[in-house]
Amino acid sequence: MIELKEVFETNDMVLHENLDVRTITMGISLLDCIDPDLDRLCEKIYDKIATYAKDLVKVGDDIGLEYGVPVINKRISITPAALVGGAACKSPEDFVRIAETLDAAAKKVGVNFIGGFSALVQKGMTPADRNLIASIPEALARTERVCSSVSLGSTKAGINMDAVRLMGDIVKATAERTKENDSLGCAKLVVFCNPADDNPFMAGAFHGVTEADCVLNVGVSGPGVVKTALSKVRGESFEVLCETIKKTAFKITRIGQLYAKEASKRLGVPFGIVDLSLAPTPAVGDSIADIICEMGMEYAGAPGTTAALAILNDQVKKGGIMASSYVGGLSGAFIPVSEDRSMAEAAQIGALTLEKLEAMTCVCSVGLDMIAIPGDTPATTISGIIADEMAIGMINQKTTAVRVIPVIGKGVGDTAEFGGLLGDARIMPVNRYGCAGFVDRGGRIPAPVHSFKN
């Protein structure tokens, strides 16, 4: 039975602590749409998405109104497009057609993003993979709601360094193609090591091939709620600190579980997972950096920050896993610089550097996320940054990612404006020493010895 004090507590979280359900993401398999004729393929893709997701936005809005916790985003993820379009697409321009079809379908049903314009190339690239990757700059420039991801490595397969090197060029080309909007296309492009098949968060969401025909995945949030809870135990021991985070994560996740089950029932779609990730926004008081500061840091990036983030990530999982039948996705704490007002401020004053962010990715949910870098950064340097992050994921058997934005025409200290949930960011310096001799070697970095467990 729900007690009155719990109602008041939840209401206060919504009004003053930015509690929300960050996203309800419908995963749709497009494997049954495969067709060697491009026109028929695009028609099948559009029709299936428009049919399956026609009520997604309405149901998300209705549940938010009825239960009092808003659902901020309604999104769609699809089977990686390189798999779906392989038979029909003979050139990069053909894949751009698919991206435009996805964009039109997303606009039709009213979702803000559709993810899955993706390729999985951990161990090698097919002609379809190469064509999709080559199409990314043009596809993201011509579409508004399409998000793209490429998996470059895994603990089992190692790292495809040919693809890592190629993605350095693709990131630069995407930045150049969207330079009129501060290279915004790169904000919709992410590369992964060990990606999750059921991740509901953009830009990396795609519908894994082992998933059902259609599922609902929910991503909860609430950094402001955790920060407020910690402010009440300031100066207490680590035991109290950890218990506070754990209990708060349990409360937040219970809301996500409720919404997931309710949306599943109303849409007639199976419930997939709840992703426990704490995802910040540019709103004041909705910040992972503020949680770190509440733990005792002057600014995010100060010595001790990585330890604080490790505590947060672990306790969020421990609390959340007891609150949901199925937990999946990424589940932990995101550190996207531009999307976190206090994280962006720490980067602006120099408390947070690219190297410190890389260290923090060893213990958080994803990786180097929404980081603006100088537009003249060489493609080989971007490939080197990607390689470092892929290595962290491969060795530590965790998901890592890179979403960097080389803002064409701007340098260190300038500000890039992305708008909405993507926020804005001061452009951070990048190590000026080159790595071309390394990333140009070609081939594959072998899987680590601990990957052989069969």
Side-chain angles (χ1 to χ4, degrees):
M1 180 178 177
I2 299 175
E3 297 182 6
L4 190 59
K5 68 176 183 179
E6 293 179 281
V7 176
F8 289 145
E9 181 183 53
T10 302
N11 188 53
D12 199 53
M13 289 177 181
V14 174
L15 291 176
H16 304 296
E17 300 166 18
N18 296 296
L19 175 65
D20 57 51
V21 172
R22 187 54 47 85
T23 181
I24 293 178
T25 301
M26 177 179 283
I28 302 174
S29 173
L30 298 183
L31 292 176
D32 58 349
C33 296
I34 293 174
D35 196 295
D37 182 272
L38 182 58
D39 290 332
R40 286 201 301 268
L41 172 63
C42 290
E43 183 180 347
K44 289 179 181 180
I45 288 172
Y46 182 91
D47 288 345
K48 185 166 187 179
I49 292 171
T51 300
Y52 277 52
K54 68 181 188 303
D55 296 323
L56 177 62
V57 172
K58 181 181 184 302
V59 167
D61 290 339
D62 287 348
I63 295 173
L65 286 171
E66 289 175 31
Y67 288 97
V69 178
V71 179
I72 303 302
N73 300 298
K74 280 70 68 175
R75 295 166 171 171
I76 295 169
S77 64
I78 62 153
T79 310
L83 300 177
V84 178
C89 297
K90 307 306 180 186
S91 68
E93 185 60 32
D94 289 343
F95 274 107
V96 174
R97 281 271 313 276
I98 290 180
E100 291 175 324
T101 300
L102 294 173
D103 201 47
K107 290 175 182 176
K108 171 69 174 177
V109 299
V111 296
N112 66 325
F113 283 125
I114 183 166
F117 194 72
S118 307
L120 310 178
V121 297
Q122 299 95 304
K123 209 168 183 179
M125 290 181 278
T126 66
D129 292 326
R130 290 185 180 276
N131 281 329
L132 182 137
I133 290 171
S135 77
I136 288 173
E138 190 64 25
L140 296 184
R142 285 202 218 169
T143 60
E144 179 185 349
R145 308 184 191 205
V146 172
C147 290
S148 180
S149 61
V150 181
S151 175
L152 303 177
S154 72
T155 299
K156 286 289 187 181
I159 303 172
N160 183 346
M161 287 301 294
D162 290 329
V164 167
R165 178 64 189 85
L166 177 58
M167 286 310 299
D169 290 329
I170 293 298
V171 169
K172 283 283 287 191
T174 303
E176 188 68 44
R177 187 64 183 80
T178 56
K179 62 184 178 181
E180 297 82 5
N181 297 313
D182 278 348
S183 301
L184 180 63
C186 294
K188 299 185 289 178
L189 171 61
V190 60
V191 296
F192 275 114
C193 181
N194 293 320
D197 283 357
D198 52 10
N199 166 26
F201 287 100
M202 298 298 170
F206 63 85
H207 187 69
V209 295
T210 61
E211 298 283 307
D213 188 51
C214 187
V215 297
L216 280 178
N217 299 318
V218 171
V220 297
S221 194
V225 179
V226 175
K227 193 266 183 185
T228 299
L230 291 183
S231 69
K232 298 173 183 176
V233 295
R234 197 170 292 162
E236 297 281 357
S237 69
F238 282 107
E239 180 181 0
V240 174
L241 175 76
C242 292
E243 282 296 305
T244 301
I245 297 171
K246 192 162 57 176
K247 290 176 181 177
T248 306
F250 179 87
K251 295 176 183 177
I252 294 170
T253 307
R254 287 303 286 172
I255 295 170
Q257 170 78 4
L258 170 66
Y259 276 46
K261 298 294 283 186
E262 191 63 28
S264 172
K265 182 174 69 175
R266 297 187 189 191
L267 289 166
V269 174
F271 160 43
I273 56 93
V274 173
D275 188 312
L276 313 178
S277 298
L278 293 181
T281 72
V284 174
D286 201 24
S287 163
I288 298 296
D290 285 348
I291 297 174
I292 291 169
C293 291
E294 188 59 53
M295 289 187 186
M297 258 44 77
E298 185 176 0
Y299 281 97
T305 294
T306 305
L309 188 59
I311 292 169
L312 176 63
N313 219 46
D314 186 52
Q315 298 306 313
V316 164
K317 292 180 180 180
K318 285 176 177 174
I321 205 167
M322 296 297 293
S324 176
S325 306
Y326 299 103
V327 171
L330 302 171
S331 290
F334 289 178
I335 52 171
V337 176
S338 78
E339 296 176 12
D340 186 316
R341 185 181 296 271
S342 296
M343 197 79 72
E345 181 185 351
Q348 180 177 337
I349 66 171
L352 195 60
T353 64
L354 194 60
E355 287 73 20
K356 183 61 175 178
L357 282 163
E358 183 181 305
M360 292 164 67
T361 66
C362 296
V363 299
C364 76
S365 274
V366 194
L368 297 171
D369 197 16
M370 287 302 293
I371 298 171
I373 60 176
D376 61 359
T377 303
T380 51
T381 296
I382 295 172
S383 295
I385 292 169
I386 291 171
D388 284 343
E389 199 60 35
M390 299 301 99
I392 289 172
M394 178 183 72
I395 296 297
N396 290 296
Q397 305 178 65
K398 70 183 291 291
T399 301
T400 52
V402 175
R403 185 166 46 152
V404 294
I405 306 164
V407 184
I408 303 301
K410 293 188 176 181
V412 174
D414 293 335
T415 299
E417 302 280 350
F418 306 121
L421 283 174
L422 299 175
D424 57 73
R426 187 66 62 93
I427 293 172
M428 299 178 69
V430 174
N431 192 308
R432 61 189 178 89
Y433 296 101
C435 61
F438 178 73
V439 297
D440 284 340
R441 284 177 176 269
R444 186 159 49 92
I445 295 177
V449 67
H450 62 246
S451 70
F452 304 110
K453 294 184 178 181
N454 291 334

